[in-house]
Amino acid sequence: MIPVRIKNKFSAHPQKVMRPISIRLSEEMIELLNSTAAELGFKRIQGLIRLYIRQGLDRDHQDYTLAHDEVFIETLRKNGVSQRIIDEAIVVTHNKHTTQPLSELQDK
């Protein structure tokens, strides 16, 4: 297996190094994630969870935008998420910029 840093030197589509994390979720939340992932065309819930995290980052950090995360979007495509769903998610996240950042809400 070729290390990612070497692949990235010669690739037109560099990859981000992804690290596994552990998170505890209730059975109810996992069931809801599974049904939502299936409805939206995700093969597994990991892609949906990543999308939700990216949307939250987009909302809370003005300098971050989901539309510029080409690696994430390409990963969604490779995992079978339709372009229509990706486009809708980008539009929805950009239309919700009127929310306050989490840091501002914590100060109140």
Side-chain angles (χ1 to χ4, degrees):
M1 182 174 205
I2 301 171
V4 172
R5 64 183 170 75
I6 293 174
K7 280 184 185 179
N8 285 346
K9 261 186 174 178
F10 304 101
S11 174
H13 303 287
Q15 299 175 1
K16 296 277 184 181
V17 176
M18 300 191 59
R19 288 185 2 195
I21 64 165
S22 177
I23 183 170
R24 296 184 192 281
L25 302 172
S26 69
E27 288 294 325
E28 179 184 3
M29 190 178 291
I30 293 170
E31 288 175 22
L32 186 56
L33 282 165
N34 278 320
S35 64
T36 305
E39 288 172 17
L40 296 177
F42 288 86
K43 290 181 181 178
R44 301 180 312 190
I45 65 172
Q46 287 88 342
L48 180 61
I49 292 169
R50 285 189 199 112
L51 178 62
Y52 287 153
I53 291 169
R54 297 287 184 176
Q55 287 176 336
L57 289 170
D58 194 16
R59 182 191 68 230
D60 293 338
H61 298 283
Q62 296 297 328
D63 59 337
Y64 175 85
T65 175
L66 179 64
H68 293 139
D69 195 338
E70 295 171 12
V71 174
F72 177 69
I73 292 170
E74 187 60 31
T75 302
L76 291 176
R77 278 192 204 105
K78 285 180 182 176
N79 285 301
V81 177
S82 73
Q83 187 62 46
R84 180 186 59 80
I85 292 172
I86 294 170
D87 292 341
E88 286 175 15
I90 291 171
V91 169
V92 167
T93 56
H94 286 287
N95 289 339
K96 291 187 178 180
H97 274 297
T98 56
T99 60
Q100 291 178 308
L102 184 58
S103 58
E104 288 179 17
L105 295 174
Q106 290 174 334
D107 293 337
K108 292 182 179 181

